[in-house]
Amino acid sequence: METLEPILKEHLFFKTLDSKYIKLITGCAQNARFKEGEFIFKEGQSADKFYLIREGKIALQIPCPARGAITIQTVSNNEVLGFSWLFPPYKWSFDAKVVEDVRVLEIDGKCLRKKCEGDHDLGYELQKRFAQMILERLQATRLQLLDLYETP
Amino acid sequence: MKTLDKKVILSSCQNPMTPIPFIIKNIYKDTHNIFTLETSLANHSNLSFLPGQFNMLYVFGAGEIPISISGNPQEKQSFTHTTRIVGAVTKALSKLKKGDMIGIRGPFGTYWPLNDAYGKDLVIVAGGIGLAPVRPIIYHILSERKKYGKISLLYGTRTPEDILYKDELKEWSPRINVFTTVDIADSKWKGDVGIVTKLISKVSFRPGNTVSMICGPEIMMRFTIQDLLNREMNEKNIFISMERNMKCAIGFCGHCQFGPEFICKNGPVMCYEKIKNIFGIREI
């Protein structure tokens, strides 16, 4: 039977991960599709999953009174959506709205957290990957805050 | 082989310090604070420039400023400059009307190495009004498209309303890969949101056979260079357009000194490999 293992292995986020861990993560993964305009999650909801984007575009938004939804960032092919599943209190901080139809691998965060508790090497590998991603997004956000293109 | 014409006009009577009178042919409002002027000589003489070069624009009674040429290098009857209103001279420039006259000196400075990039992939990165000095690159490339490999234009700006040359970006996209991102957007915007460097991961290029040309705020250029180097690009194939306070434009006055270089004469287009030791030093 065909599994999601090859797809998981091909995704940029897990490309160099040991195949024994790919197998473990595959046990928590399933395919999912979301249509343009759909919300994958909303601010304040339980963060029990994360998503490896295979195709499409998602906007991370925050609703703001009198201004509507403000998009903070977009994520697309080969990127990861969601890291709140890894840190207490496991709640989403933003809305994730589909901008272009998406295909994702949906990973069950609760299932994976249990596996990480049972195998700290797997936990460490995941923490390293997510820490790198969070660092990159923090740096990008800092540059965005500089408002570099505003009139000097 | 068609190559870029390296002959450039200097100035009337061969004195590069004397502005030549030009007539404003057309004015385009690009965004709320950016506009484009198309100017030509009264006698319709031919003009030429190389992509990346700049002119000194003199608004009578207001002053003189350096502005990169943003038009088509094959258009021989006019110079085109895209300007943002930031100070007294640009404000005065923005108030001029069709038929008014300004003084122009130049073109001056170095140019993008487009002939050296034949056969190679090109990654062009522009931030904000930095798209204006790279537009001549695109015009040139499109006129000789088959001579280049994959071409990607990565453009980042503040908001969707600040996007320059919107129609042209659409026109160019079938022939080159155009990626646009903005820093701030509401839910109506369907494009990317995030810094321009994020777009680098979206494009495929051959790092050993790619030339990159970057123009935008210096901080943006620093981070872009870092990301390109992380993608194993060679420093000698990265070119940036520098900006300093150009006054004489011919390397005499020293206002635009950048370490041992003068941006007006040895720039604005510079190879990163040659300036990497001084690029990013705060005091320079």
Side-chain angles (χ1 to χ4, degrees):
Chain A
M1 195 182 81
E2 217 174 287
T3 73
L4 297 175
E5 204 177 316
I7 302 171
L8 204 66
K9 205 172 180 173
E10 274 308 300
H11 196 279
L12 201 62
F13 192 66
F14 285 137
K15 213 156 193 182
T16 54
L17 191 66
D18 195 302
S19 49
K20 68 180 177 187
Y21 296 136
I22 295 283
K23 270 198 178 73
L24 278 174
I25 298 167
T26 305
C28 304
Q30 64 172 25
N31 266 318
R33 285 170 186 267
F34 297 93
K35 290 268 176 212
E36 184 187 326
E38 238 181 291
F39 284 91
I40 299 176
F41 53 75
K42 283 194 167 181
E43 181 189 350
Q45 290 176 341
S46 292
D48 296 329
K49 293 169 185 165
F50 70 97
Y51 305 86
L52 302 179
I53 304 168
R54 298 175 64 193
E55 197 182 1
K57 192 186 290 174
I58 301 154
L60 288 172
Q61 298 182 331
I62 190 153
C64 179
R67 286 177 64 186
I70 298 167
T71 301
I72 294 138
Q73 186 191 24
T74 49
V75 282
S76 54
N77 304 18
N78 264 320
E79 291 187 284
V80 173
L81 171 68
F83 49 77
S84 298
W85 69 277
L86 198 52
F87 306 98
Y90 311 117
K91 300 269 186 205
W92 296 120
S93 305
F94 300 102
D95 295 351
K97 190 180 182 184
V98 177
V99 180
E100 287 168 12
D101 291 1
V102 289
R103 284 193 305 143
V104 291
L105 278 185
E106 186 178 273
I107 315 287
D108 182 337
K110 272 188 184 170
C111 158
L112 198 54
R113 283 202 302 260
K114 266 187 207 158
K115 288 185 179 178
C116 290
E117 287 300 338
D119 184 339
H120 286 182
D121 285 348
L122 167 65
Y124 181 58
E125 278 299 326
L126 279 181
Q127 288 283 354
K128 277 198 292 187
R129 282 173 162 71
F130 274 95
Q132 179 67 36
M133 184 186 85
I134 293 166
L135 173 75
E136 285 167 12
R137 292 197 185 169
L138 173 66
Q139 285 176 341
T141 306
R142 284 173 170 168
L143 287 177
Q144 258 172 288
L145 285 173
L146 288 176
D147 204 3
L148 289 172
Y149 309 123
E150 177 56 323
T151 306
Chain B
M1 187 174 76
K2 189 172 123 190
T3 56
L4 289 168
D5 178 10
K6 291 191 179 175
K7 278 197 294 183
V8 293
I9 66 152
L10 277 176
S11 185
S12 61
C13 312
Q14 279 74 53
N15 181 353
M17 293 303 290
T18 307
I20 309 173
F22 273 68
I23 293 163
I24 296 174
K25 272 171 62 186
N26 283 305
I27 304 168
Y28 308 96
K29 189 171 166 59
D30 297 300
T31 71
H32 71 285
N33 64 350
I34 296 176
F35 61 97
T36 297
L37 291 183
E38 203 184 315
T39 54
S40 63
L41 287 164
N43 62 6
H44 303 290
S45 296
N46 272 359
L47 303 163
S48 71
F49 73 97
L50 296 166
Q53 290 191 304
F54 70 96
N55 286 117
M56 296 300 294
L57 306 193
Y58 182 36
V59 186
F60 304 117
E64 196 183 42
I65 44 164
I67 303 286
S68 291
I69 306 170
S70 62
N72 190 338
Q74 282 158 16
E75 166 55 55
K76 302 294 180 193
Q77 293 288 308
S78 63
F79 278 151
T80 302
H81 300 91
T82 301
T83 311
R84 180 164 60 178
I85 305 167
V86 287
V89 182
T90 49
K91 196 173 174 184
L93 201 57
S94 74
K95 287 181 176 164
L96 296 177
K97 294 181 181 65
K98 202 171 162 178
D100 285 349
M101 198 171 273
I102 58 169
I104 292 185
R105 292 195 290 125
F108 298 112
T110 55
Y111 43 89
W112 302 106
L114 287 163
N115 288 350
D116 299 337
Y118 283 156
K120 296 180 180 172
D121 293 342
L122 253 71
V123 177
I124 302 158
V125 190
I129 198 167
L131 184 61
V134 306
R135 188 167 68 162
I137 301 176
I138 310 294
Y139 288 137
H140 173 77
I141 286 167
L142 291 178
S143 72
E144 300 194 326
R145 182 64 191 89
K146 285 182 183 163
K147 290 185 177 168
Y148 298 94
K150 280 184 194 162
I151 298 166
S152 304
L153 170 65
L154 317 181
Y155 174 46
T157 191
R158 195 164 181 260
T159 71
E161 290 72 38
D162 293 306
I163 294 173
L164 275 178
Y165 316 136
K166 275 185 188 134
D167 293 338
E168 282 184 295
L169 289 171
K170 280 181 203 157
E171 277 171 33
W172 297 337
S173 58
R175 300 179 68 198
I176 62 173
N177 299 312
V178 178
F179 298 90
T180 304
T181 185
V182 298
D183 280 353
I184 309 160
D186 59 21
S187 55
K188 282 178 239 152
W189 170 247
K190 302 290 179 198
D192 283 1
V193 178
I195 56 166
V196 70
T197 51
K198 220 188 117 190
L199 298 176
I200 294 170
S201 64
K202 291 190 174 212
V203 296
S204 67
F205 55 85
R206 300 163 290 169
N209 200 26
T210 296
V211 174
S212 183
M213 300 172 188
I214 313 166
C215 186
E218 217 162 292
I219 297 174
M220 171 231 128
M221 294 202 291
R222 281 214 307 268
F223 281 87
T224 302
I225 290 166
Q226 199 47 59
D227 279 24
L228 290 169
L229 295 175
N230 290 345
R231 288 278 304 265
E232 295 178 350
M233 266 203 66
N234 195 316
E235 290 168 344
K236 69 174 190 227
N237 290 327
I238 298 176
F239 294 84
I240 58 177
S241 180
M242 290 294 295
E243 197 179 334
R244 285 292 183 274
N245 186 16
M246 270 108 70
K247 289 284 181 195
C248 72
I250 49 174
F252 284 168
C253 73
H255 277 87
C256 64
Q257 190 168 354
F258 178 61
E261 316 280 357
F262 291 121
I263 297 295
C264 67
K265 202 172 90 179
N266 311 112
V269 176
M270 303 178 106
C271 176
Y272 176 66
E273 188 190 37
K274 287 186 181 159
I275 57 163
K276 65 177 179 182
N277 293 330
I278 54 170
F279 188 63
I281 295 179
R282 290 167 200 198
E283 293 76 12
I284 292 180

